[in-house]
Amino acid sequence: MEPIQPGPSAVPPVPPAPLGALLRDRSLGLRHLAGPAEADVHGVHASEMADPTPYLLGGELLLTAGAGPGRYGEYVASLVRSGVAALGFGLAPVHAAVPAGLAEACGRAGLPLLEVPPGTPFTAVARTVGRLMAQARTAELRRITEAQQALAAAAARPDAVEAVLRRLTAALGGWSALQTPSRGPDPDPDSDTGAGAAPGPSAGPTPSAEVLAAVAALARRVAPGPADSPAAAGAPAAGATTATATDTVGGLHLAVYALGDGRSLARATPGRAPGDHTIASVAAVLLTLLTAPRPAGDAAGALTRLLLGGSPAEALAPGPWYAVHAAGAGDPGALAAALGTVLLDRRGHRVRLVTDRAPGPQPGWRLGVSAPAAPGGLPAADAQAGRALDRAEAARAPLARHAQGGLAALLDPAEARAYAQALLAPLSPALRETLRRWLAHHGSWDRTAAALGVHRNTVRQRIARTAALLEADLDDPDTRMELWFALR
């Protein structure tokens, strides 16, 4: 029987807990029975359902104590298709031992199977996974911060471009290069630089000709040369290219980031960690600043003047400017590049940007866009963008723009604010945010859990606590409408 191939996994972009570390925790007493002993665990879900797949997000360690007999192959196949990372089978009270048929099915499918002893509650396993994920997240954030600081220091060197590439390669390994469009006749197709790409600064061992050709093809997708670009022909550039492109060739992960005017940053690495895209995006922004003479230079000057105590009105051009709030699982640096800006701020689950282009929808993101504003009006525009993103999430729309008027315009702002504060006073900030996300996702436990990065049972507990504190029936549409209005 052929091993079952796992389906797509919708796991959050957070470093996982290594299954091996879970097995090495002696306090749990877990025993590995079948399948690989290593896997990436992105959470824990406990279920005794015959078919738990509708409630799985992917990447979980699924804990159960009673998978139905006689259907182990079908049961395991459905779990693998749902992207389950591993299966933990609890002994007692139903089974004294893990069924042999289940172990055989997991072995054939390549799904890790763990035995959970009677003295280990499932909650202890979940707490350990949470602790391991928190440790991995802390380590990854530290790695990203240190890499960002090193890249910024490299950008201040006299040989800034080469220094940034060297530092990027030191942080991520592999090969990094600045790609520039060929401006002469068509290059030699047998050249190592690849069709359409001129040699540029690089760092790390040069990949094979096959890899370089694949990189050149990606570069043409994200950064066509000036002669080929839509802007050069007088056509709008929107939708003509993407900000990033990826591929896998010869066991290497390839990624190319657009820098503007036909330039791009190319990467080839043997592996890829969750924070690598963030680090590479920082390098791409720095290289954009270093290689683009005018627009990026103006943005760099604006940032410098703001950091030295200026005001937006003094630091930025007259505009108009747009504030953008974004929510999604994509790379914020790539989003900023797509919107033509380096003015980017990450706040929790949201990304805030300022751009002088009227933004359009971006794949993988929901956007809230303010009305056009002068530099001095950016604080108000930021609030507009936040409210617009709330509407986009509630409507499941890719983009919502600020609109004047509406129900809120009929009420006195001070009175409305006072009423909202009184209504929501019993709720902690965590409960308010959970309620806002839950309402924005139309009461969906799974989508709310994914948006908050918590387990669906945590969402259920918080919503139940919210209903008790407010003494409200959250199933009533009038109550939901009133709370949504108050949260806004």
Side-chain angles (χ1 to χ4, degrees):
M1 178 178 178
E2 292 295 327
I4 301 168
Q5 298 301 317
S9 175
V11 296
V14 175
L19 184 62
L22 197 64
L23 288 168
R24 290 189 293 272
D25 191 318
R26 295 185 179 181
S27 66
L28 298 177
L30 304 179
R31 191 160 67 98
H32 174 243
L33 299 182
E38 292 294 337
D40 291 337
V41 177
H42 291 266
V44 175
H45 181 76
S47 175
E48 308 303 334
M49 298 178 63
D51 181 17
T53 56
Y55 303 94
L56 299 175
L57 297 176
E60 300 100 333
L61 166 61
L62 177 65
L63 299 175
T64 185
R71 53 180 296 275
Y72 296 128
E74 177 186 347
Y75 177 74
V76 170
S78 67
L79 298 185
V80 174
R81 284 193 296 268
S82 296
V84 166
L87 177 64
F89 194 91
L91 301 183
V94 180
H95 294 271
V98 176
L102 180 62
E104 292 173 1
C106 288
R108 289 194 302 268
L111 178 67
L113 174 64
L114 315 181
E115 177 188 272
V116 184
T120 300
F122 287 174
T123 54
V125 178
R127 284 195 300 269
T128 302
V129 169
R131 174 175 55 80
L132 291 172
M133 290 182 66
Q135 291 174 350
R137 180 64 171 168
T138 299
E140 187 71 359
L141 290 174
R142 184 181 301 113
R143 182 178 80 97
I144 292 172
T145 300
E146 292 173 352
Q148 289 174 334
Q149 293 171 344
L151 287 168
R157 291 173 53 92
D159 57 339
V161 171
E162 293 80 0
V164 168
L165 292 172
R166 289 195 300 269
R167 178 51 57 186
L168 178 61
T169 302
L172 304 185
W175 170 78
S176 307
L178 177 66
Q179 303 281 298
T180 58
S182 176
R183 300 176 186 274
D186 292 341
D188 181 356
D190 297 326
S191 169
D192 286 347
T193 62
S202 65
T206 303
S208 66
E210 179 187 14
V211 170
L212 290 174
V215 166
L218 295 178
R220 288 195 296 272
R221 287 172 52 189
V222 305
D228 302 324
S229 67
T241 60
T242 58
T244 62
T246 61
D247 197 358
T248 302
V249 175
L252 294 178
H253 297 278
L254 312 183
V256 175
Y257 300 77
L259 304 182
D261 196 27
R263 293 178 299 273
S264 60
L265 166 64
R267 295 276 304 128
T269 55
R272 185 160 49 196
D276 286 358
H277 275 304
T278 300
I279 295 172
S281 296
V282 172
V285 169
L286 290 172
L287 290 172
T288 300
L289 295 172
L290 293 169
T291 60
R294 184 174 53 83
D298 292 345
L303 288 171
T304 303
R305 290 190 292 275
L306 286 171
L307 290 173
L308 294 177
S311 68
E314 296 170 348
L316 299 177
W321 295 89
Y322 298 85
V324 181
H325 280 216
D331 177 23
L335 175 64
L339 297 181
T341 182
V342 296
L343 303 176
L344 167 69
D345 178 37
R346 300 180 180 93
R347 293 288 176 91
H349 296 286
R350 292 194 173 194
V351 177
R352 303 191 307 168
L353 308 99
V354 176
T355 177
D356 58 356
R357 299 181 185 176
Q362 299 296 322
W365 293 93
R366 294 197 195 280
L367 302 184
V369 181
S370 73
L378 285 176
D382 181 58
Q384 293 174 359
R387 293 193 295 269
L389 178 56
D390 287 341
R391 295 202 313 276
E393 290 191 310
R396 304 182 193 176
L399 183 144
R401 301 184 189 276
H402 172 71
Q404 299 290 346
L407 182 61
L410 304 177
L411 304 176
D412 178 80
E415 291 185 5
R417 189 176 301 107
Y419 174 76
Q421 290 173 348
L423 178 63
L424 302 173
L427 304 183
S428 67
L431 289 180
R432 291 190 186 191
E433 178 62 12
T434 300
L435 177 60
R436 189 188 69 79
R437 293 276 182 169
W438 184 72
L439 292 173
H441 290 93
H442 304 282
S444 169
W445 307 110
D446 290 336
R447 292 198 299 273
T448 305
L452 292 171
V454 301
H455 195 274
R456 66 173 61 81
N457 288 343
T458 301
V459 177
R460 291 181 184 273
Q461 293 165 4
R462 290 181 182 178
I463 293 300
R465 178 63 175 161
T466 297
L469 289 172
L470 297 179
E471 299 180 352
D473 178 9
L474 298 185
D475 290 329
D476 181 78
D478 288 338
T479 301
R480 291 193 183 193
M481 180 185 69
E482 186 175 18
L483 289 171
W484 177 252
F485 183 81
L487 288 166
R488 288 186 60 197

